[in-house]
Amino acid sequence: MAELVHPRNAALLRRVRDAEGADGRLALPDVASWEIFPFEGEMRVKALEEPELPEPARTGEGGKPCDSCETGVSQAVWADERWKITAPEPSAIPIVFLSPRKHVDLGNLGLLLSGEMGQRIWRLEMALTSLGGVGRVHLNRWGDGGAHLHLWFFARPEGLLQLRGSSLADWTDTLPAMPLHEWQDMLSAVAAEMAVLGGKALR
Ligand SMILES: [Zn+2]
């Protein structure tokens, strides 16, 4: 195991162990006192565990089935020849995923799909902004759960300044979800706006 740890990561772990207090934990970072941080009160940093290598397979790799490929466009809000937009369960704010229809991740997207991705990101920014009441559209690619590329788009409510920046995802998990009908109307509006420049609204 230890020989699999990259020297840079091994060095990081040594710095962590040196910085840990008597309780084996790091001090709270500055972000815990920032306006955008969703939590307050007695908190402590979780103990950092040792690396797990090789990393466990995500869905869609190592023989694990891929949800995105299995559902195809049956759950999609919008699709064109090579891309689709899907949505998670209703959340507090508009959230959608942009994915290629083909089973690829960002690293093996290739020239055609990577070029098309840029245009669809731009269009989705406009489609989400057109909902109104949107302060900023945030775009993330985490991909630690599934191997099929899915970009996350979050539409931050206008004026809710505590929801700015990197804490938005934690706020989203904290705030009450939209009613289902409102969620579906939102998705239909995004799909219709996307379809103006191509592809097909599926809701
Ligand atoms: Zn897939």
Side-chain angles (χ1 to χ4, degrees):
M1 172 73 75
E3 67 277 8
L4 293 176
V5 179
H6 188 279
R8 187 177 59 254
N9 300 333
L12 166 65
L13 280 163
R14 281 196 298 276
R15 289 199 301 279
V16 169
R17 300 305 173 219
D18 287 347
E20 283 170 346
D23 61 352
R25 291 163 193 276
L26 297 168
L28 278 179
D30 288 347
V31 67
S33 61
W34 290 0
E35 182 193 8
I36 62 170
F37 192 66
F39 312 110
E40 62 182 1
E42 285 289 312
M43 280 181 294
R44 58 183 191 175
V45 178
K46 283 188 175 176
L48 190 67
E49 296 170 359
E50 291 295 310
E52 184 179 339
L53 293 171
E55 293 195 0
R58 302 171 292 172
T59 61
E61 67 183 5
K64 286 193 179 178
C66 176
D67 298 337
S68 189
C69 285
E70 282 186 357
T71 54
V73 293
S74 65
Q75 310 288 321
V77 170
W78 168 95
D80 66 11
E81 196 182 343
R82 287 182 286 272
W83 293 87
K84 63 179 177 179
I85 294 172
T86 54
E89 293 296 304
S91 181
I93 66 170
I95 299 176
V96 293
F97 303 119
L98 174 68
S99 305
R101 292 176 63 167
K102 185 174 141 184
H103 187 87
V104 284
D105 204 346
L106 193 54
N108 54 0
L109 209 50
L111 281 176
L112 171 70
L113 284 174
S114 58
E116 288 183 349
M117 179 175 69
Q119 295 179 1
R120 279 143 192 80
I121 288 172
W122 165 63
R123 285 167 56 191
L124 201 35
E125 153 88 18
M126 292 198 299
L128 285 163
T129 303
S130 76
L131 293 171
V134 174
R136 194 91 54 220
V137 176
H138 291 299
L139 163 59
N140 292 287
R141 183 270 191 163
W142 284 301
D144 281 334
H148 192 130
L149 177 62
H150 53 293
L151 302 179
W152 296 66
F153 288 77
F154 295 79
R156 176 177 63 73
E158 189 176 35
L160 290 185
L161 301 185
Q162 285 173 288
L163 273 58
R164 288 178 297 180
S166 56
S167 290
L168 179 63
D170 291 327
W171 275 109
T172 299
D173 288 334
T174 307
L175 303 173
M178 238 181 263
L180 184 60
H181 65 91
E182 201 178 312
W183 182 256
Q184 286 170 341
D185 288 350
M186 177 277 292
L187 293 176
S188 298
V190 170
E193 194 63 27
M194 284 299 290
V196 169
L197 285 178
K200 196 164 185 282
L202 302 172
R203 294 273 179 111

